Amino acid sequence: MGTLLQLARWGLLGRSLSLVQTARSLHCGVSSWIHVKLPPEPKEVDRWTEKRALFGVYDNIGILGDFQVHPKDLITGPRWLQGWRGNELQRCIRKKQFVGHRMFDQDYKNLNKRIRFLYRRFNRTGKHR
Amino acid sequence: MAAEPTRGSVPQPRTPGSRPILLLQSHKLFFRRTRLGQRLSCACVLGWPFLCSSGQRNALGHRLIDYQEKPPLVISSAPVLRGCHLAIPSHRTAVQAWVESLRHYDDRHVGLADLHPDVFAVMPRVDILHTVAVWQRNYKRISYAKVKTRAEVRGGGKKPWAQKGSGRARHGSIRSPLWRGGGIIHGPRGPTSYYYMLPMKVRVLGLKVALTAKLMQDNLHVVDGLDMPTFDPQYLADLAQYRRWGQSVLIVDVNKMPENITKAAASLKTITLVPALGLNVYSLLKYETLVLTLDTLAFLEEKLLWHDSRYTALYPFHLPYSDFP
């Protein structure tokens, strides 16, 4: 009994040393301990960082400005995806049009393979072709 | 309405949301918002925390202010009355809001502003608010998740063992999706964009519904200007707390903002200054209170009402049209 208690305490200590999450033990019999793992504590999220406080600002710049700027001009990201949406084949083709001339050799070859595979997949197999 | 209404007899605005509401805040301010001109004297005991030089505290631990220490409120005899510049349909009347001022902590009844009902009293379309907020979250989203397919994973060109004879299962490549370390078939592929645009009139209506909701829920405050007596951020925070503006305040102005309020809001997390071009539904939903200046009201009404009576675009609006600038 004493050994079991010591083992339980060691187990508890070991767990709390390695993780923040504590474990507790239930003693439900003469000699049986059930280690109950508690769910992880929710992480503290600051809802008022600069990015979160100013999210969405200038989304209506077209309507409230004089339509000189479109909200798609605010999007930052790969140039072949700014203000545009497509499925995977369309994205691959557009990427090849925009940046294919300056891609690394292996990446360019993989892109071409992917285009070839997707073209055949979409246009030659399945119900919708 | 009298020709020269004095401070005590300014008529109450006719908006439904301006009835006095009993507010009990969690930080123990037992202070009822009452009709104009009947401020309870207990406010001077429990309410205003700044300018406390003595540091005396009452039983609840709130700082007590000697009433004579607070700067006196200067009441000018000419209230600011802002009428609606754009035509209101004959079957509707304007909604109204108090015009406040930031010059003094208690300057809440500088005048009255008429607001156009087709901007500030539209049908409360919560579904449109949801649509526009979701659009704002997603249209600029680009997900960069990408995993390699079996063609892109390094290696795997050679057949690992002969088709027959070894006793093991037949395989053609060590990078097939069945293998550990092999390619993923239907994983996320490359930077993906979630861009789409809602119709312009839906976005405009979203703004109108959001402004209506703010006004009708007593979260819209009109201010005659953003002039502040000091650049102390504590002044702005205490003003917002005294006037029960809520946890977060969004202050919008068309013109260039004065230095005092810029410096004050720079160090405050939940009070934000935004130019009028930056007004949007997501921010209106995130911030509890909206503070607009009179110039911003005119700007917003003009911009949002134009869409009610415009012709459909034959070509994009950023190209020149001969009828309007």
Side-chain angles (χ1 to χ4, degrees):
Chain A
M1 174 76 156
T3 326
L4 271 169
L5 273 171
Q6 279 162 17
L7 269 175
R9 250 181 248 127
W10 174 84
L12 276 174
L13 264 178
R15 283 209 186 88
S16 62
L17 276 175
S18 58
L19 303 163
V20 177
Q21 154 195 348
T22 53
R24 58 187 176 94
S25 306
L26 293 181
H27 184 58
C28 52
V30 174
S31 62
S32 56
W33 286 81
I34 300 177
H35 291 290
V36 178
K37 259 200 200 167
L38 296 172
E41 286 160 14
K43 55 180 179 181
E44 306 267 334
V45 181
D46 182 12
R47 293 288 166 203
W48 294 100
T49 60
E50 179 144 358
K51 192 174 173 186
R52 286 198 177 110
L54 296 175
F55 184 82
V57 171
Y58 294 127
D59 281 348
N60 289 319
I61 191 164
I63 306 168
L64 298 173
D66 285 323
F67 305 104
Q68 297 311 310
V69 186
H70 193 280
K72 70 181 176 196
D73 303 331
L74 302 172
I75 302 176
T76 51
R79 281 208 308 120
W80 69 92
L81 285 182
Q82 285 171 353
W84 183 89
R85 181 189 189 143
N87 63 32
E88 199 195 333
L89 177 59
Q90 292 163 341
R91 277 182 272 130
C92 289
I93 294 169
R94 194 171 161 98
K95 180 176 179 183
K96 187 172 167 182
Q97 288 167 345
F98 274 67
V99 296
H101 63 283
R102 56 183 179 144
M103 282 172 83
F104 286 151
D105 175 57
Q106 197 60 42
D107 301 333
Y108 185 70
K109 285 178 179 164
N110 284 341
L111 184 67
N112 286 333
K113 283 198 292 185
R114 190 73 188 160
I115 291 176
R116 208 174 300 128
F117 166 78
L118 286 172
Y119 178 88
R120 286 200 297 248
R121 184 62 183 267
F122 288 154
N123 297 327
R124 297 183 190 173
T125 60
K127 191 173 170 184
H128 309 279
R129 52 178 93 180
Chain B
M1 210 155 103
E4 279 266 344
T6 55
R7 182 47 70 94
S9 65
V10 172
Q12 280 231 313
R14 279 174 276 137
T15 48
S18 66
R19 284 162 287 135
I21 297 165
L22 181 63
L23 287 175
L24 288 175
Q25 289 211 338
S26 61
H27 61 276
K28 305 173 285 273
L29 268 181
F30 304 110
F31 172 45
R32 276 190 73 218
R33 248 172 60 189
T34 61
R35 290 172 60 95
L36 168 66
Q38 294 173 15
R39 287 188 209 102
L40 294 177
S41 58
C42 68
C44 62
V45 173
L46 290 177
W48 191 231
F50 70 56
L51 288 186
C52 174
S53 54
S54 54
Q56 298 161 6
R57 296 196 176 244
N58 66 359
L60 293 166
H62 293 280
R63 282 172 287 172
L64 293 178
I65 311 297
D66 205 358
Y67 189 67
Q68 282 74 36
E69 279 184 19
K70 283 185 272 193
L73 176 60
V74 173
I75 302 170
S76 63
S77 59
V80 171
L81 297 167
R82 184 245 178 203
C84 203
H85 306 298
L86 298 156
I88 300 177
S90 50
H91 65 282
R92 302 204 68 180
T93 51
V95 281
Q96 293 181 316
W98 288 111
V99 178
E100 307 181 16
S101 164
L102 298 178
R103 288 181 206 95
H104 185 270
Y105 76 94
D106 204 11
D107 211 358
R108 276 184 287 183
H109 307 284
V110 170
L112 273 181
D114 271 0
L115 307 170
H116 199 288
D118 284 341
V119 175
F120 288 92
V122 297
M123 275 302 225
R125 293 282 305 266
V126 188
D127 63 312
I128 291 201
L129 284 183
H130 168 84
T131 314
V132 176
V134 164
W135 168 75
Q136 281 193 260
R137 258 190 289 156
N138 285 335
Y139 86 96
K140 31 180 170 347
R141 176 179 172 211
I142 294 183
S143 149
Y144 295 94
K146 181 173 185 174
V147 291
K148 293 182 170 16
T149 54
R150 62 183 290 173
E152 291 162 356
V153 178
R154 185 94 176 158
K158 182 170 178 294
K159 192 171 172 61
W161 46 77
Q163 178 82 358
K164 301 184 74 60
S166 68
R168 288 171 288 186
R170 49 191 178 181
H171 288 292
S173 136
I174 58 165
R175 301 303 188 196
S176 96
L178 273 53
W179 284 63
R180 176 200 176 275
I184 308 290
I185 322 171
H186 293 300
R189 288 299 303 164
T192 319
S193 120
Y194 293 82
Y195 171 80
Y196 67 103
M197 289 305 285
L198 287 177
M200 194 186 294
K201 293 189 186 176
V202 172
R203 287 177 274 140
V204 165
L205 185 56
L207 262 180
K208 289 177 184 169
V209 172
L211 289 168
T212 308
K214 284 295 177 204
L215 177 68
M216 294 308 165
Q217 293 180 345
D218 285 342
N219 288 331
L220 181 78
H221 299 274
V222 182
V223 152
D224 59 348
L226 294 184
D227 309 309
M228 291 227 300
T230 161
F231 56 80
D232 187 13
Q234 192 59 37
Y235 171 80
L236 195 53
D238 289 338
L239 188 149
Q241 184 194 321
Y242 178 76
R243 296 193 193 179
R244 308 295 189 101
W245 278 0
Q247 294 302 313
S248 44
V249 181
L250 186 68
I251 307 178
V252 187
D253 193 8
V254 196
N255 315 315
K256 186 167 176 297
M257 318 231 185
E259 263 193 38
N260 272 351
I261 196 162
T262 320
K263 278 191 204 160
S267 42
L268 290 170
K269 269 190 161 184
T270 54
I271 302 185
T272 311
L273 291 182
V274 147
L277 288 181
L279 197 60
N280 63 94
V281 168
Y282 189 96
S283 298
L284 286 178
L285 292 174
K286 183 172 177 77
Y287 289 82
E288 226 175 295
T289 319
L290 176 68
V291 173
L292 298 175
T293 54
L294 291 173
D295 298 331
T296 318
L297 282 180
F299 173 80
L300 284 175
E301 282 175 356
E302 186 213 327
K303 292 290 178 187
L304 297 179
L305 282 171
W306 176 70
H307 293 274
D308 283 347
S309 57
R310 64 169 169 90
Y311 288 110
T312 178
L314 298 173
Y315 48 88
F317 283 122
H318 65 88
L319 298 167
Y321 275 77
S322 55
D323 343 22
F324 64 90

